[in-house]
Amino acid sequence: MAFTSQRGLRRFAAIPAVASLLLAAACSSEEAAATPGVTSAPCPGSAHTDRGCIYLGVLSDLENGPFSALGTSMHEGQLAFWNRVNEAGGIGGYDVDITSYTRNTSQDPRMHRAEYEAIEPHVLALAMSFGTSQTIATLNRMDADDMVATAATQWSGWNYRSVDHNLVLSAGYSYCTEAVTGLDWFAEHHYAPRDIAVVANRGNYGSDYAAGASKWAAANEATIVARIDTGPNGEVGNQDGPVREILAAAPELVLLATGPAETAEIVGKLVGSGFTGRFLGSVPTWNAALLKTPAAPALTALYNYMTPVDDWTGGSIGAKHAREATTGEPANFGYSLGWAISYPLKALLTAAAENGDLTRPGLRRGAENLAPDGEGMVAIHPAGADAPDLSREWSAVFEPDAQAPMGARAVEIGYRGATLGRLGLHEPCTRL
């Protein structure tokens, strides 16, 4: 399948909403039938003329947003994943297309919803819905449309069927449990922090992460001495305010749930002002491009970040398959993350095809009893459970290293801490 070029990604991401209607009409009149997104005609560009096509949508930050580097790399991982599926025989007599209805939403909830409405008539499901508030803004429409989506967001609410209405597939941990496990690892490998500051983006991402930090602190006799809301520099201008608050609070550890640009600014300015504590970041805080900023020495010396997936050079079956599916080293770890979060939807599509129910309601019903295999690359909660099985979760810990692939070295893969099992979590750490 010729879906994977970066030039093709830019071209499809730039197609305006109105053009999607023309493209859909050209593909097949079957898309207007009772099964949107499933046609007997081959996928565009497919060499498999004996197969039909399953169209999946992508709504992501691919350009001009605070996480566009991560979103683009995750999309490339998903492209490689589904190309491998197609090369291995497809699903139930169909290839899978995730390029025709790829749209850039620049991390804007209004744009996200508008682009959803434009592609909705033409796709069976969403291969990616990037961002927590962005997906939440679309959830009521998804509910009405029986639209299952893969979450490119780790909000804890996606692990509870009462919240996501059995529509949002996820893999790995939540931001909340990431903070809990990360602090356990930090206490074991650096020092047990007594005074902690949390700098977090406003919204469900930052709030969920900060809630996990607060739960860990309460369980481990620590104190959150500063809980600081911020946002992308495109919204707030700079991070001088958080830097001032941290210096005044003088914590031993700063937790970060921001974007990578804000991470570099906060770490660089704090260390330049004499701060001697360390930093621990959520998965979206890192990008290898930070090693080209003035903050690189401080980040290399004092910062770790967490991810829910195996290292690019890892030994899991999934990591091996992800490496084999591309040529050269990806731009950042988002490639592996995009690959890993695709396992649940593949399992769901496969089961629906086997049951002869490859429809939106069929996918939604099928998610109730889904137990996807992450090939050792990522921990996946049973999709139909009322609550997550926290005993399945593990984390990967990284530190910046200019000599390592994608600028970071895995310190530990598969880490499980002691605190998570003591918290008795039975609901999302933050609510809508």
Side-chain angles (χ1 to χ4, degrees), residues 92-104:
Y94 298 91
D95 278 337
V96 176
D97 175 296
I98 72 163
T99 58
S100 294
Y101 298 102
T102 288
R103 299 292 181 267
N104 172 49

Side-chain angles (χ1 to χ4, degrees), residues 1-389:
M1 302 292 290
F3 297 167
T4 58
S5 74
Q6 181 67 25
R7 189 172 75 178
L9 169 62
R10 295 193 195 99
R11 177 164 58 88
F12 284 115
I15 295 175
V18 66
S20 69
L21 302 178
L22 300 176
L23 179 60
C27 287
S28 172
S29 62
E30 292 179 71
E31 290 187 77
T35 306
V38 181
T39 72
S40 59
C43 295
S46 174
H48 307 136
T49 57
D50 59 332
R51 300 181 197 165
C53 189
I54 295 171
Y55 290 92
L56 303 178
V58 171
L59 301 172
S60 186
D61 183 1
L62 301 172
E63 187 177 4
N64 299 325
F67 297 103
S68 58
L70 177 61
T72 299
S73 191
M74 288 182 69
H75 185 56
E76 290 170 347
Q78 287 200 308
L79 284 167
F81 181 94
W82 291 109
N83 281 350
R84 186 176 188 276
V85 169
N86 293 340
E87 290 166 1
I91 292 177
Y94 298 91
D95 278 337
V96 176
D97 175 296
I98 72 163
T99 58
S100 294
Y101 298 102
T102 288
R103 299 292 181 267
N104 172 49
T105 62
S106 297
Q107 199 73 359
D108 183 327
R110 289 174 296 181
M111 186 183 296
H112 197 95
R113 185 178 174 98
E115 293 290 8
Y116 172 85
E117 292 173 352
I119 69 172
E120 177 274 321
H122 316 298
V123 299
L124 178 63
L126 298 182
M128 183 182 297
S129 181
F130 191 102
T132 304
S133 61
Q134 293 71 23
T135 304
I136 290 170
T138 315
L139 192 60
N140 61 336
R141 277 295 309 270
M142 291 167 55
D143 190 14
D145 298 330
D146 288 322
M147 185 72 75
V148 171
T150 296
T153 153
Q154 305 299 125
W155 175 50
S156 60
W158 304 137
N159 294 146
Y160 296 85
R161 301 287 76 80
S162 61
V163 176
D164 78 352
H165 310 303
N166 224 42
L167 290 169
V168 181
L169 304 174
S170 61
Y173 49 55
S174 70
Y175 299 123
C176 177
T177 57
E178 176 186 54
V180 173
T181 303
L183 281 162
D184 274 346
W185 177 87
F186 187 92
E188 287 183 27
H189 293 83
H190 289 295
Y191 49 84
R194 298 274 69 87
D195 298 320
I196 302 168
V198 183
V199 184
N201 278 9
R202 292 184 293 271
N204 294 89
Y205 159 41
S207 295
D208 212 51
Y209 189 84
S214 294
K215 291 177 184 298
W216 186 90
N220 291 278
E221 299 181 351
T223 302
I224 304 297
V225 295
R227 164 68 174 88
I228 304 164
D229 283 332
T230 190
N233 282 343
E235 297 176 9
V236 302
N238 59 55
Q239 302 299 313
D240 288 348
V243 168
R244 284 193 299 269
E245 290 190 56
I246 294 168
L247 289 173
E252 299 169 307
L253 170 65
V254 177
L255 297 184
L256 298 166
T258 63
E262 294 74 35
T263 292
E265 181 181 348
I266 290 167
V267 172
K269 287 181 175 178
L270 281 171
V271 174
S273 298
F275 180 75
T276 58
R278 292 191 64 92
F279 304 86
L280 181 66
S282 177
V283 57
T285 61
W286 173 250
N287 188 295
L290 300 191
L291 290 176
K292 298 178 181 178
T293 70
L299 287 163
T300 302
L302 298 170
Y303 162 84
N304 294 103
Y305 71 93
M306 317 288 288
T307 83
V309 299
D310 194 6
D311 183 27
W312 167 250
T313 61
S316 67
I317 294 173
K320 178 176 180 289
H321 287 163
R323 289 194 299 272
E324 292 172 347
T326 189
T327 57
E329 184 181 303
N332 63 59
F333 73 94
Y335 173 91
S336 297
L337 189 56
W339 179 287
I341 66 173
S342 301
Y343 285 111
L345 185 53
K346 175 179 179 285
L348 187 57
L349 291 171
T350 300
E354 291 173 351
N355 294 332
D357 199 6
L358 201 58
T359 64
R360 288 183 191 167
L363 294 183
R364 191 173 189 177
R365 285 190 295 270
E368 296 176 0
N369 299 295
L370 192 67
D373 176 19
E375 293 190 315
M377 188 179 187
V378 64
I380 304 176
H381 297 288
D386 291 330
D389 179 359

